Amino acid sequence: MVDVGGKPDTERSAHACGWVKMQKETLTMILEGRHHKGDVFATARIAGIQAAKRTWELIPLCHPLMLASVKVELTPEPLENQVRIDAICKLTGRTGVEMEALTAVSVAALTLYDMCKAVDKGMIISNVKLLEKVGGKSGPWVANP
């Protein structure tokens, strides 16, 4: 694990996103609240938040972080039969939160898949990526559009 003991605490944040493409009927079922397991978006959101908080247990050599904020949003995109997942993680600390944001998106997507696989095994999780990070020695970074 990298030694961050000599680094100063700074405000840091990271924004990641990803998509889950599915059949039109699957997205309609979710949006109409007809899923027999309950609120798919709420469950995926909670799973993403929990995953961000436990990233250090999942990814080797990640530091355990005291996150100040984790926000996970699931936005339906009916014209594309998909759901966009965004995660924003923030803290004041000595190391970045990119892995926490990426893990939140990934686990939220996997949870959505798990809850809906009985009706749509062909769902596709795609384009999980970092959009922006702020703070730290390297400064701000924004992905190319």
Side-chain angles (χ1 to χ4, degrees), residues 19-28 31 75-84:
W19 285 263
V20 181
K21 189 157 184 70
M22 60 193 66
Q23 295 174 10
K24 180 180 181 176
E25 297 79 16
T26 306
L27 184 56
T28 300
L31 295 176
T75 306
E77 296 179 347
L79 295 177
E80 289 81 24
N81 298 321
Q82 64 188 14
V83 175
R84 177 182 169 130

Side-chain angles (χ1 to χ4, degrees), residues 54 59 84 122 126 139:
R54 299 182 73 146
I59 309 294
R84 177 182 169 130
S126 65

Side-chain angles (χ1 to χ4, degrees), residues 94-105:
R94 296 177 177 170
T95 188
V97 290
E98 297 92 339
M99 293 310 301
E100 286 70 17
L102 289 163
T103 300
V105 169

Side-chain angles (χ1 to χ4, degrees), residues 8-139:
D9 284 344
T10 60
E11 289 186 23
R12 298 163 181 263
S13 66
H15 179 188
C17 71
W19 285 263
V20 181
K21 189 157 184 70
M22 60 193 66
Q23 295 174 10
K24 180 180 181 176
E25 297 79 16
T26 306
L27 184 56
T28 300
M29 175 193 66
I30 293 168
L31 295 176
E32 292 177 354
R34 292 187 285 112
H35 197 289
H36 70 280
K37 289 186 177 181
D39 189 335
V40 174
F41 284 4
T43 304
R45 185 178 301 108
I46 292 167
I49 292 167
Q50 286 179 321
K53 292 168 63 173
R54 299 182 73 146
T55 298
W56 67 276
E57 292 180 298
L58 301 169
I59 309 294
L61 307 179
C62 278
H63 292 84
L65 302 179
M66 292 297 297
L67 295 168
S69 173
V70 179
K71 293 181 180 161
V72 177
E73 293 183 12
L74 290 91
T75 306
E77 296 179 347
L79 295 177
E80 289 81 24
N81 298 321
Q82 64 188 14
V83 175
R84 177 182 169 130
I85 303 170
D86 286 272
I88 298 173
C89 297
K90 295 180 181 180
L91 63 65
T92 299
R94 296 177 177 170
T95 188
V97 290
E98 297 92 339
M99 293 310 301
E100 286 70 17
L102 289 163
T103 300
V105 169
S106 299
V107 171
L110 289 168
T111 300
L112 195 155
Y113 184 96
D114 179 56
M115 290 187 75
C116 297
K117 70 183 183 280
V119 295
D120 188 354
K121 289 178 180 42
M123 289 176 287
I124 300 169
I125 297 170
S126 65
N127 298 325
V128 175
K129 60 185 177 181
L130 183 67
L131 294 177
E132 179 180 18
K133 78 94 173 170
V134 176
K137 183 177 164 183
S138 64

